[in-house]
């Protein structure tokens, strides 16, 4: 597999203006996604993970205070593109997104077949006939019978609607699909079958995924890589193996310990305290307040430190180990 | 059935006893034409002991929330009966009904929606007391503070003057639990109490509920779709499918030796965090839960069941069998 | 409570809120002042018209408008005998009295009318008076004599003989400069009306008030019945506000409670309410009010009752129902049922408060529509028979063809007040809407 990343994000920043001050929803985030790789962005609600997705697809609200950083999609410098060029060349054609609760946002009066064809017709300018053919194929991929094309959203179950939304993202055959909480509203069995669909598409189409979720167990269903966000920053980015079995950041460790396990007797342990506000987050390490291993260096803000092959941690505990500090990439 | 009777004979009588409970919702066209019934709960029987913590597990639409609401007296049962502390709940009225309502606390799924946004915490917690005729202000204040301390929100006046939107999700859910406790109930029904909360908060809330349950020796009925949280917070599990209980047993017994094909499928679909998960495709039974308007004849799982036996499963309703000791399963596979 | 204060604090960011609030406060201040300064019974008494207004001119415009336009129309001059140097001489069986009533006349327009009010006391028979008019030049014009009753009015400007003699109406002729060329011009200077009276009785006395009516009066002017329009404009304010507020409160509260009841109980109750509403919506409100007014009574409080009654099952029910339907499903209401809250409690304390923030702006903007409705009824001649209101003023202006006759002030003043009321409440209501509506309790 090519070592050159499909998506490379460097020091991305997205701040909002609010009535109470500047909310640092995405505050200096760096990561990359390789072709045919699935990155799971984990985090509790309000950590900025949805803002990160919206920033990548430029679905921005009006109260943006600052939006900067570097985003390279292949050789394209995405941040340098104008809005029109971005909409034409990147949005949906190369990077598609399934928004949170999108299954409930389907247009109730348009047949789902037409809704799925819409990205093709609007973004790629395809003819109706050609688009239809592709839609049928995409429906087969996501496991929706083709006679559902003629149905309206309310005639479908939640699981089917989620598949339709997924089809909408996949229909343009994008290189990267961003999924924001794609299964959190679904039942266990439906969740599992949606994850099966994602796995199969990843294997068969070579698509890359960025999956945003708060659910650690679901994330392990697809993750090649895991990025854990906390208060607008990525505190740890690592391969799934390393993250799930030997997390490096204290927050990662506590998060893993808080996950209830079905097949183990270990009791989950809560993480005391609450995440800080995105408006005026504490100086220094943002997790320091809740961290059991806090020490004096934590008063200064840690940079992402490299602790291993494609493994970065924002924690002073790792300052001595695994090579030079700084945001360098392998 | 025999085991249940044996169990209740051993200890004191059960707190809640449900027999062949049915809660159907009539579907009407143009407001009056009956076109059918949604059989949300369709023939459910069980006993809950005092101080017992149980979980009702199932997918959405399996009737678990309707069951909870029927137990809470929010829906009138269509048939069967619910007894609470020896009284038939359907027969209660007036003061007796208020006593029943005070005896059963309710914790809901969406903590923000469960709190009236225009009331501050003091008012929210005072409401049940006012409804139940606690007119003395000082007495109310005392009970409110005690409930808040029990959910670890007190002491302190700060929280009492807050409005729900000023609280975090975890704090909101604590207020909801405090409201359920303020009338000093004998039983609490918690409908998906943590599904809308963040992972780190979930454990806190579940621990809190369990602690309160054991301190007050409450009967606690969890309604959840998430089997993985159940292990540490319930003694017994009821697995529901399409309006019926298909399997029931002690937690460890059920998780380690699932008997019903549906339970087995459910457990197989749940991942424990492991990087290897990404490399395997899970076995998921095809299809979707049946319509409760027209449930399939016989066993309701038979259209999706890998072990379905033609001529049996699609014709006759399975009764409850006891394939293992104290472990009941509604599946013809276990007919002896 | 704090939430409301927060909202109000936020209102300060909207100039329209401050402007609207200022207008509303002004109207309320006027109402309070009026109710204190002119008690209700007095206002009714005054508006009935009659002798109370005898010293006021007919159809006089506001003073300030005339002065603003650079005019110098006369205002009303009253000369009282108490202030005059009365000379009296007794004779057998009576007294002879001479009262010179003198006044300065500096205006360059003629008065509108001249009346002399006489009151005799302790006379045994009717007194006899003879009047003479002295111009600034010293010319004496005899105005004739006559017997006077105990209380009498001599309408000098109605004196036909005098008019014939002067060749023009007396209130013009008596003031006209003695140039007989073209348009008469008033002579400025000191005029005097000399009253010679013979009173029969030892202690008989005479009081005389000469009223030289002007062409402008006060802040608001007068109407065809000499009534000061100020009374109606002032009293119209509390009446309009009270009517608007009561009608808005009455309809909103009842509609809200009924809508909530329908939503809560659903089924037959809801269906009945919906059908009633649909029938009521197609009932035209104004014709019904006209019918009640014509056939029964135009009492304003009865009208208010009818307006509220017709407003109960109004389109508002549909709106509130749409807002309440999702709230009915709210988990907190289910929780309330679970702990045993009764139907009334759920409707009044859980459902309705939830939509109040959205409702208050609507409520505020509803007030002026009822103010306008009341005014419209009055303009149609269905105003309250005794109360002075803005609509009644407009109605009078209309029947007296005020605009045709050039009495613009008569129409403009009440219309302006109506507009200000509408503007004030609308501006405030829209600002409230912006503050309370978008953030429906989120964040």
């Amino acid at each position: 597999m090519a070592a050159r990343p499909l998506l490379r994000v460097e020091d991305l920043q997205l701040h909002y203006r609010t009535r109470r001050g500047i909310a640092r929803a995405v505050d200096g985030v760096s990561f990359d996604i390789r072709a045919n790789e699935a990155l799971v962005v984990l985090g509790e609600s309000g950590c900025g993970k949805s803002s990160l997705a919206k920033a990548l697809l430029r679905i921005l609200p009006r109260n943006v205070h600052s939006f900067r950083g570097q985003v390279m999609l292949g050789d394209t410098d995405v941040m340098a593109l104008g809005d029109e060029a971005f909409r034409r060349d990147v949005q949906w054609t190369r990077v598609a997104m399934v928004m949170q609760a999108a299954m409930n946002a389907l247009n109730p009066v348009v047949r789902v077949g037409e809704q799925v064809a819409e990205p093709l017709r609007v973004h790629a300018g395809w003819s109706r006939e050609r688009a239809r053919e592709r839609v049928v194929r995409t429906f087969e991929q996501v496991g929706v019978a083709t006679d559902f094309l003629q149905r309206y959203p309310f005639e479908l179950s939640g699981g089917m609607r989620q598949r339709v939304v997924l089809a909408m993202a996949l229909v343009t055959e994008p290189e990267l699909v961003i999924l924001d909480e794609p299964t959190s509203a679904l039942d266990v069995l439906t969740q599992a079958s949606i994850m099966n669909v994602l796995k199969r598409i990843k294997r068969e189409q070579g698509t890359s995924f960025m999956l945003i979720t708060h659910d650690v167990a679901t994330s392990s269903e697809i993750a090649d890589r895991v990025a854990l966000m906390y208060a607008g920053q990525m505190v740890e980015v690592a391969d799934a193996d390393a993250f799930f079995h030997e997390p490096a950041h204290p927050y990662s460790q506590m998060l893993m310990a808080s996950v209830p396990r079905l097949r183990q007797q270990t009791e989950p342990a809560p993480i005391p305290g609450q995440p800080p506000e995105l408006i005026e987050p504490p100086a220094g390490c943002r997790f320091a307040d809740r961290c059991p291993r806090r020490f004096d260096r934590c008063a200064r803000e840690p940079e992402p430190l490299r602790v291993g092959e494609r493994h970065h941690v924002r924690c002073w505990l790792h300052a001595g180990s695994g090579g030079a500090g700084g945001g360098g990439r392998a | 059935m025999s085991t249940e009777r044996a169990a209740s004979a051993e200890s004191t009588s059960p707190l809640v006893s449900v027999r062949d409970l049915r809660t159907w919702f009539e579907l009407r066209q143009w407001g009056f034409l009956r076109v059918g019934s949604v059989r949300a709960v369709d023939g459910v029987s069980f006993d809950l002991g005092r101080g017992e913590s149980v979980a009702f597990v199932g997918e959405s639409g399996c009737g678990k929330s309707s069951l909870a609401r029927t137990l809470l007296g929010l829906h009138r049962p269509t048939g069967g009966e619910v007894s609470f502390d020896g009284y038939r709940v359907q027969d209660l009225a007036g003061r007796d009904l208020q006593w029943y309502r005070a005896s059963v606390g309710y914790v809901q799924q969406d903590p923000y929606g469960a709190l009236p946004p225009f009331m501050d915490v003091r008012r929210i917690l005072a409401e049940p007391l006012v409804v139940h005729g606690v007119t003395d202000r000082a007495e109310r204040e005392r009970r409110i503070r005690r409930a808040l301390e029990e959910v670890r929100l007190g002491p302190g006046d700060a929280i009492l003057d807050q409005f729900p939107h000023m609280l975090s999700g975890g704090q909101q859910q604590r207020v909801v639990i405090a409201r359920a406790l303020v009338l000093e109930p004998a039983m609490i029904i918690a409908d998906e109490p943590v599904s809308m909360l963040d992972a780190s908060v979930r454990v806190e809330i579940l621990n809190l509920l369990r602690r309160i349950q054991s301190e007050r020796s409450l009967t606690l009925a969890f309604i959840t779709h998430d089997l993985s949280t159940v292990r540490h917070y319930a003694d017994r599990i009821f697995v529901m499918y399409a309006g019926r209980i298909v399997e029931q047993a002690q937690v460890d017994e059920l998780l380690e030796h699932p008997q019903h094909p549906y339970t087995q499928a459910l457990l197989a679909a749940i991942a424990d965090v492991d990087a290897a998960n990404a490399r395997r495709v899970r076995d998921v039974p095809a299809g979707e839960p049946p319509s409760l308007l027209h449930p399939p004849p016989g066993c309701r799982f038979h259209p999706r069941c890998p072990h379905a036996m033609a001529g049996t499963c699609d014709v006759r309703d399975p009764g409850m069998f006891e394939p293992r000791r104290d472990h009941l399963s509604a599946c013809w596979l276990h007919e002896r | 409570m704090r939430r409301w204060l927060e909202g109000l604090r936020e209102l300060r960011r909207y100039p329209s809120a401050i402007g609207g609030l200022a207008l509303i406060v002004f109207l309320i201040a006027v109402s309070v002042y009026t109710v204190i300064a002119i008690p209700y019974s007095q206002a009714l008494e005054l508006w009935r018209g009659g002798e109370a207004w005898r010293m006021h001119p007919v159809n006089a415009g506001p003073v300030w408008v005339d002065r603003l336009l650079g005019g110098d129309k006369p205002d009303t001059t009253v000369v009282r005998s108490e202030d005059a140097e009365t000379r009296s001489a007794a004779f057998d069986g009576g007294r002879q009295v001479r009262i010179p009533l003198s006044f300065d006349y500096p205006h360059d327009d003629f008065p509108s009318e001249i009346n002399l009010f006489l009151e005799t006391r302790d006379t045994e028979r009717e007194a006899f008076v003879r009047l003479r008019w002295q111009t600034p030049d010293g010319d004496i014009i005899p105005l004739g004599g006559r017997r006077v009753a105990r209380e009498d009015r001599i309408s000098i400007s109605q004196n036909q003989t005098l008019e014939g003699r002067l060749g023009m109406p007396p209130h013009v002729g008596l003031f006209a400069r003695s140039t007989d060329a073209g348009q008469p011009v008033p002579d400025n200077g000191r005029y005097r009306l000399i009253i010679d009276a013979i009173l029969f009785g030892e202690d008989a006395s005479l009081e005389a008030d000469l009223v030289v009516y002007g062409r402008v009066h006060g802040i608001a002017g007068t109407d065809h019945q000499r009534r000061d329009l100020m009374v109606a404009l002032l009293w119209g304010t509390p009446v309009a506000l009270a009517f608007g507020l009561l009608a808005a409160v009455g309809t909103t509260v009842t509609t809200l409670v009924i809508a909530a009841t329908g939503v809560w109980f659903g089924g037959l109750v809801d269906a009945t309410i919906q059908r009633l509403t649909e029938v009521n919506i197609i009932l035209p409100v104004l014709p019904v009010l006209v019918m009640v007014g014509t056939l029964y009574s135009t009492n304003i409080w009865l009208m208010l009752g009818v307006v509220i009654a017709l407003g109960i099952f109004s389109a508002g029910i549909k709106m509130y129902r749409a807002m309440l339907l999702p709230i009915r499903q709210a988990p907190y209401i289910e929780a309330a049922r679970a702990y045993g809250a009764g139907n009334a409690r759920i409707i009044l304390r859980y459902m309705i408060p939830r939509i109040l923030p959205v409702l208050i702006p609507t409520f505020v903007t509803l007030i002026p529509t009822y103010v306008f409705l009341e005014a419209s009824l009055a303009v149609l001649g269905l105003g309250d028979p005794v109360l002075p209101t803005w609509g009644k003023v407009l109605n009078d202006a209309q029947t007296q063809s005020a605009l045709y006759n050039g009495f613009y002030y008569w129409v403009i003043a009440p219309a302006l007040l109506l507009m200000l009321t509408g503007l004030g409440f609308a501006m405030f209501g829209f600002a409230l809407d912006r503050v309370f509506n978008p953030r429906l309790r989120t964040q």
Side-chain angles (χ1 to χ4, degrees), chain B residues 69 108 112 127 132 161 165, chain C residues 2 331 334 339 350 441:
Chain B
R69 292 195 175 95
Q108 287 151 297
Y112 183 62
E127 275 292 311
H132 287 271
D161 297 325
H165 74 277
Chain C
R2 203 160 38 176
E334 193 178 53
Y339 58 64
Y350 292 84
R441 297 283 176 264

Side-chain angles (χ1 to χ4, degrees), chain C residues 66-67 72-77 105 107-112 213-217:
Chain C
D66 178 58
R67 301 294 183 265
D72 182 31
K73 290 194 175 152
D75 42 15
T76 302
T77 312
Y105 194 78
H107 308 288
D108 51 13
D109 197 354
F110 294 101
S112 59
Y213 296 93
R215 288 180 178 274
V216 290
H217 180 88

Side-chain angles (χ1 to χ4, degrees), chain A residues 103-325:
Chain A
M103 56 184 268
N104 300 321
L106 284 167
N107 186 336
V109 296
V110 178
R111 295 175 202 277
V112 293
E114 283 168 49
Q115 294 195 54
V116 173
E118 198 160 290
L120 286 174
R121 316 248 298 128
V122 173
H123 288 267
W126 286 27
S127 72
R128 185 178 288 266
E129 308 315 313
R130 194 170 157 216
R132 196 189 146 73
E133 224 170 86
R134 171 69 72 78
V135 170
V136 169
R137 212 170 71 217
T138 315
F139 265 48
E140 281 164 2
Q141 279 171 7
V142 298
V144 182
T146 43
D147 52 330
F148 279 44
L149 284 167
Q150 297 303 313
R151 298 213 188 169
Y152 290 97
F154 71 89
E155 296 175 291
L156 306 183
S157 67
M160 280 300 154
R161 285 208 301 271
Q162 188 60 38
R163 284 166 200 252
V164 166
V165 171
L166 199 56
M168 228 163 135
L170 291 167
V171 75
T172 53
E173 299 189 337
E175 295 153 67
L176 174 67
V177 177
I178 300 176
L179 304 149
D180 193 356
E181 302 277 7
T183 62
S184 59
L186 300 171
D187 282 314
V188 179
L189 292 180
T190 321
Q191 263 182 29
S193 58
I194 295 271
M195 293 315 285
N196 281 346
V197 169
L198 292 179
K199 286 178 206 179
R200 206 180 55 239
I201 287 168
K202 178 166 174 274
R203 199 177 57 226
E204 289 171 6
Q205 315 277 319
T207 315
S208 298
F209 287 97
M210 178 171 149
L211 186 125
I212 290 160
T213 182
H214 68 275
D215 183 345
V216 183
T218 307
S219 75
S220 74
E221 286 289 295
I222 192 158
D224 296 313
R225 306 255 303 149
V226 178
L228 179 62
M229 280 190 80
Y230 188 78
Q233 300 180 326
M234 276 186 181
V235 294
E236 182 163 359
V237 189
D239 282 339
D241 259 317
F243 186 88
F244 290 135
H245 302 295
E246 295 162 84
H249 195 284
Y251 177 54
S252 315
Q253 292 161 357
M254 293 175 82
L255 185 69
M256 292 307 294
S258 78
V259 177
R261 315 267 170 149
L262 179 65
R263 296 171 184 85
Q264 290 167 27
Q265 285 294 358
T266 48
E267 263 194 49
I271 306 175
Q274 281 179 31
E277 294 223 37
L278 295 173
I279 297 165
E280 287 173 29
C285 173
R286 294 185 185 174
F287 187 64
D289 277 357
R290 303 168 78 182
C291 184
R293 299 173 67 188
R294 172 180 64 235
F295 64 120
D296 47 4
R297 278 185 91 171
C298 302
R300 276 193 305 129
E301 184 163 11
E303 287 293 313
L305 302 169
R306 188 175 179 280
V307 295
E309 173 72 14
R310 297 184 83 203
H311 191 166
H312 293 83
V313 182
R314 256 188 208 262
C315 178
W316 288 119
L317 288 171
H318 300 276
S321 67

